[in-house]
Amino acid sequence: MKIISSLWKNNEGQSTVELAVMFPVILIIAVICVNALTFFSECSSFDRTFKQIVTSLGPNPGYGKDISNVKSILESELKNRFDDDFLDFEVSVENVSGGLQEFSGNLKMYPTLFGMGLRSEIFGVPLPSLNHQQKMTIEVYKPGVII
């Protein structure tokens, strides 16, 4: 009995020390998981929204507007719908054979600390942005052209 009680006395702060050592690791894993789940959520929202915007604005540009105007309207519409500091969007338009236009949308997400912005590096380790791209090819209406 004396041996067991002496062993118990020597381990009095062990769980506190283990928690202090493991807490930063647990916090880093939690930040990675939250960023990954946020990225997956933003990607699915971006895919739906990009397709909706391209199909509504792309095929029939307004009077006096060309594809470059549609590109800037698409970018501004995406920025309005996704009003987060850690997201960035790029839209490009390319001509494809047969008079088709290919719209490409690129979603760029920067890592955050549970929604609050972070620096681009921590302790000298750079934090890369996560990228997701969506493409859609449509035929753009050309007024006055008979097919």
Side-chain angles (χ1 to χ4, degrees):
M1 193 69 172
K2 221 176 196 188
I3 296 173
I4 294 174
S5 63
S6 67
L7 287 175
W8 181 257
K9 287 180 183 178
N10 291 337
N11 295 333
E12 280 184 0
Q14 181 179 356
S15 61
T16 305
V17 172
E18 288 174 356
L19 177 67
V21 170
M22 291 303 295
F23 184 73
V25 174
I26 293 170
L27 185 64
I28 289 170
I29 291 171
V31 167
I32 290 171
C33 290
V34 167
N35 277 312
L37 293 174
T38 303
F39 180 66
F40 296 148
S41 170
E42 296 297 331
C43 284
S44 67
S45 296
F46 175 75
D47 288 347
R48 284 191 314 271
T49 305
F50 182 75
K51 287 179 181 178
Q52 288 173 355
I53 292 173
V54 168
T55 55
S56 64
L57 297 175
N60 192 10
Y63 179 75
K65 294 184 180 176
D66 59 353
I67 293 299
S68 62
N69 295 75
V70 173
K71 177 185 168 225
S72 63
I73 292 170
L74 287 173
E75 284 180 348
S76 65
E77 188 68 28
L78 284 171
K79 288 179 183 176
N80 288 340
R81 291 199 186 183
F82 295 96
D83 191 25
D84 292 322
D85 294 336
F86 56 91
L87 296 176
D88 194 20
F89 304 98
E90 294 175 4
V91 177
S92 64
V93 182
E94 297 177 11
N95 289 329
V96 183
S97 64
L100 300 175
Q101 301 285 331
E102 182 180 70
F103 290 85
S104 296
N106 190 23
L107 167 71
K108 189 180 284 190
M109 182 182 143
Y110 300 99
T112 65
L113 180 62
F114 302 112
M116 298 181 298
L118 274 181
R119 300 182 309 202
S120 61
E121 66 177 37
I122 295 178
F123 301 119
V125 178
L127 299 173
S129 62
L130 300 171
N131 295 322
H132 175 72
Q133 189 172 26
Q134 180 69 26
K135 291 184 177 185
M136 188 171 189
T137 304
I138 60 171
E139 183 177 1
V140 178
Y141 172 73
K142 296 177 183 86
V145 176
I146 299 173
I147 298 178

